[in-house]
Amino acid sequence: MARTKIKDILKREDTGYPVNIKGWVRSFRNNQFIALNDGSCMSNLQVVIDLGADENLLRNITTGASLSIDGTVIASQGKGQRVEVKAEKVELLGACDAEKFPLQLKNRPSLEYLREIAHLRFRTNTFGAVFRVRHTLAFAVHKFFNDRGFVYLHTPIITSSDAEGAGEMFRVTTLNMDNPPHNEDGSINFKEDFFGRSTNLTVSGQLEAELGAMAFSDVYTFGPTFRSENSNTARHLAEFWMIEPEVAFNDIYDNMDLAEDFIRYVIAYAMEHSKEDLDFLATRLADEEKQKPQNERSEMGLVEKLEFVLNNKFERITYTQAVDILLDSPAYKKKKFQYDVKWGIDLQSEHERYLVEKHFKKPVIVTAYPKEIKAFYMRQNDDGKTVAAMDILVPGIGEMVGGSQREERLEKLEQRMNEMHIPTDEMYWYLDTRRYGAVPHAGFGLGFERMVQFVTGMTNIRDVIPFPRTPKNAEF
Ligand code: 4AD
Ligand code: MG
């Protein structure tokens, strides 16, 4: 008999039909009631087995064991579930060493502990929910762009350029590190390396996406990106996924509209298609909040917070206004900020969080940053001081999006690259787009894990990617 997924059985109204189900035992009580989970949804399916079942089999039905069961779906005799399966045949697929199985532990394992056993954590309710929601969000990303006629462009993972110019790259090489070939001046001779040049893992697909936008008008990338910044925070990963749309003919205002529409769309999609999981995560978060002191608890529950984002326009301010608000804040006056505030600084996460969590209490788009703290490709504003950048800051996360209108004027771009010591000869291909039919264009990058954090309410970014890569950690 073909396998039926538990989700599909729970969805059906009728009973009395035969099924085969397969999954893992979550619990077994009274030698009679199995709670079986196959990962298709949060809920377990109750399976009732005959009291006279074979002793050897009964001994092996423990938490974590995998079973294949033939039976009939019937209206449940007990409370707590609408339907259950009356088993006719139970087959043990894989026994589970109950003495050692870490998830056998009765008391709730902590998120930190589960991170150490990330290879098993998918089998908990919390991580089942998180990763099903992550899937739903990823699907919504593609649906949003596909429905709007964007071309999904796969930009390279191995590159020789540093798109952000921040020097936070992982080198890719096949040279023998114990004895690399040297140039006469003592430097390593990358001409002998695999690609005949020095290469690294990409920090962003933007530059190549721009090349695509100059032909397809509307493109997006959605792929892994890598940064070797040594930030051990709850919002940084060394390997993370980024969504980067790039749109010809868009200016910075179109770019902001696109980003807002996009964020609202994927949140609404998840709320519609992952309701059971989000309700569970909302309850989990509410329990976690109760552990905190009263004044640190968030005012809104998870679902309310998501609804709030759906129903309210994001605040739009310039960097200069942001700095003024910070200088005028009680936090600044009482010297509560660790980092100083003045025009020209890069906003620190404490500043960003003050703006969204305390001042505006909603997502904020900050534009027109000083050119000194932003990348070379951003369009220079007429004031000569700022660029057409936009960062989207959200409560609980800080920066979720970084984007800009791009500098499409060749001379201005070259001048800025020279100022920032970015080799214009090596980047001829990028500059070519400004030589052959340049158009105004804009795009942004949204950190997918930060989005998953926002939607699931998970406080640590390590808990929203299956196998996190962070400084000193690449287990699994
Ligand atoms: O602001 P960033 O550096 O922008 C870019 O890379 C542009 N090239 C994007 C573009 O315009 N196409 O990064 C974009 C977003 C950030 O806002 C943040 O959400 C996420 O990527 N991000 C990280 N997420 C997790 N871990 C890290 N180490 C991250 N660094 C950036
Ligand atoms: Mg940024």
Side-chain angles (χ1 to χ4, degrees), residues 413-430:
L413 182 58
E414 278 180 328
Q415 169 219 331
R416 193 76 194 120
M417 287 171 82
N418 288 331
E419 282 166 13
M420 295 176 82
H421 308 290
I422 293 161
T424 46
D425 47 345
E426 274 173 36
M427 300 275 285
Y428 73 90
W429 48 270
Y430 185 67

Side-chain angles (χ1 to χ4, degrees), residues 168-185:
E168 294 166 337
M169 297 174 303
F170 290 100
R171 182 178 297 289
V172 175
T173 182
T174 55
L175 291 178
N176 177 0
M177 280 298 119
D178 294 329
N179 184 22
H182 289 285
N183 295 313
E184 300 207 325
D185 65 0

Side-chain angles (χ1 to χ4, degrees), residues 371-422:
K371 65 178 182 193
E372 281 75 21
I373 58 170
K374 290 290 180 188
F376 70 93
Y377 52 70
M378 297 192 180
R379 194 174 198 279
Q380 295 163 50
N381 287 331
D382 293 340
D383 61 12
K385 290 192 298 195
T386 61
V387 287
M390 60 168 223
D391 276 9
I392 303 186
L393 317 176
V394 297
I397 306 286
E399 179 190 336
M400 190 191 285
V401 168
S404 66
Q405 186 171 339
R406 318 306 189 187
E407 183 56 83
E408 83 284 9
R409 298 162 297 185
L410 181 63
E411 317 78 66
K412 295 238 177 220
L413 182 58
E414 278 180 328
Q415 169 219 331
R416 193 76 194 120
M417 287 171 82
N418 288 331
E419 282 166 13
M420 295 176 82
H421 308 290
I422 293 161

Side-chain angles (χ1 to χ4, degrees), residues 244-276:
E244 296 181 276
E246 193 66 38
V247 184
F249 319 114
N250 265 10
D251 65 16
I252 187 77
Y253 302 102
D254 302 321
N255 206 31
M256 288 190 254
D257 292 342
L258 178 67
E260 264 201 69
D261 287 350
F262 172 60
I263 291 171
R264 284 211 189 85
Y265 178 91
V266 294
I267 291 175
Y269 192 91
M271 289 180 79
E272 189 183 336
H273 294 88
S274 288
K275 190 171 173 351
E276 186 190 28

Side-chain angles (χ1 to χ4, degrees), residues 315-447:
E315 196 70 36
R316 296 182 181 192
I317 58 168
T318 64
Y319 169 90
T320 304
Q321 287 169 320
V323 169
D324 288 344
I325 290 167
L326 292 170
L327 288 175
D328 205 36
S329 67
Y332 177 78
K333 289 176 182 158
K334 289 187 198 145
K335 301 200 185 338
K336 289 261 172 70
F337 291 132
Q338 197 189 332
Y339 294 88
D340 194 20
V341 180
K342 61 170 190 263
W343 201 95
I345 59 147
D346 206 353
L347 297 181
Q348 298 295 322
S349 113
E350 58 176 351
H351 304 140
E352 297 177 339
R353 296 185 68 159
Y354 177 85
L355 290 170
V356 289
E357 284 160 26
K358 297 266 166 9
H359 190 84
F360 289 111
K361 297 186 196 292
K362 56 152 108 166
V364 177
I365 311 185
V366 184
T367 54
Y369 281 80
K371 65 178 182 193
E372 281 75 21
I373 58 170
K374 290 290 180 188
F376 70 93
Y377 52 70
M378 297 192 180
R379 194 174 198 279
Q380 295 163 50
N381 287 331
D382 293 340
D383 61 12
K385 290 192 298 195
T386 61
V387 287
M390 60 168 223
D391 276 9
I392 303 186
L393 317 176
V394 297
I397 306 286
E399 179 190 336
M400 190 191 285
V401 168
S404 66
Q405 186 171 339
R406 318 306 189 187
E407 183 56 83
E408 83 284 9
R409 298 162 297 185
L410 181 63
E411 317 78 66
K412 295 238 177 220
L413 182 58
E414 278 180 328
Q415 169 219 331
R416 193 76 194 120
M417 287 171 82
N418 288 331
E419 282 166 13
M420 295 176 82
H421 308 290
I422 293 161
T424 46
D425 47 345
E426 274 173 36
M427 300 275 285
Y428 73 90
W429 48 270
Y430 185 67
L431 292 166
D432 269 359
T433 55
R434 275 65 173 174
R435 294 186 181 108
Y436 308 136
V439 295
H441 62 290
F444 61 85
L446 180 143

Side-chain angles (χ1 to χ4, degrees), residues 162 164-172 200-204 225-232 236-240 469-472:
D162 178 1
E164 292 302 296
E168 294 166 337
M169 297 174 303
F170 290 100
R171 182 178 297 289
V172 175
N200 44 263
L201 294 176
T202 189
V203 296
S204 158
T225 45
F226 307 86
R227 294 190 187 184
S228 61
E229 59 191 320
N230 207 352
S231 313
N232 241 319
H236 286 89
L237 290 165
E239 176 180 297
F240 62 100
R469 269 75 182 102
T470 51
K472 303 278 176 285

